[in-house]
Amino acid sequence: MNALIPAIFSRFRDLNLITLIQNLRLGRAARGDWLVNGNLCPLAHGLPDSQVAAGACDDLVDALCGNAPVRQFLTMWDGELLSDADLLTELCILWRERRDDADAVQGVLTAPLEVAAA
């Protein structure tokens, strides 16, 4: 799995990523389709709602499945070779790294300016 999960899910916006994490914790992630009984496939968490709800994912599927990491992820996810717990662990690591980066930038932005002696 190594770089597969970050390669795909690092592109998700914060809200999409944290929602996916929460849905995995609650056992609410679909397998085998984009939307099953109100649950979304992990990849669908990053798509605009209107495309998933309207079933207009076909063009996106073609585009996404041309991407080798996405195709590999879907094969592993739908084939149950990747558990909810394993994906959740990887996504939590990604989320923690994202938070650490944000904290570091915030620290730089709020650090007191040093005034050079004249």
Side-chain angles (χ1 to χ4, degrees):
M1 232 177 323
N2 47 34
L4 178 65
I5 302 304
I8 296 169
F9 293 95
S10 63
R11 298 174 186 187
F12 278 38
R13 295 179 182 215
D14 289 348
L15 184 58
N16 300 79
L17 183 60
I18 200 68
T19 300
L20 172 55
I21 288 170
Q22 186 62 23
N23 283 341
L24 285 166
R25 286 181 177 143
L26 296 172
R28 295 178 43 197
R31 291 182 190 266
D33 205 346
W34 291 102
L35 179 65
V36 177
N37 298 325
N39 297 328
L40 293 173
C41 165
L43 289 177
H45 281 76
L47 300 175
D49 289 342
S50 60
Q51 289 174 321
V52 174
C57 293
D58 294 339
D59 293 336
L60 287 169
V61 172
D62 292 340
L64 288 173
C65 289
N67 180 323
V70 169
R71 192 172 50 252
Q72 182 181 359
F73 174 81
L74 287 173
T75 299
M76 291 173 59
W77 182 253
D78 290 341
E80 297 190 23
L81 301 172
L82 176 62
S83 71
D84 290 22
D86 289 339
L87 179 57
L88 180 59
T89 298
E90 294 291 322
L91 294 177
C92 285
I93 291 168
L94 179 62
W95 181 249
R96 189 176 325 117
E97 290 171 354
R98 194 176 281 193
R99 277 193 352 240
D100 290 346
D101 289 347
D103 289 344
V105 169
Q106 188 65 32
V108 169
L109 295 175
T110 59
L113 294 175
E114 292 184 24
V115 178

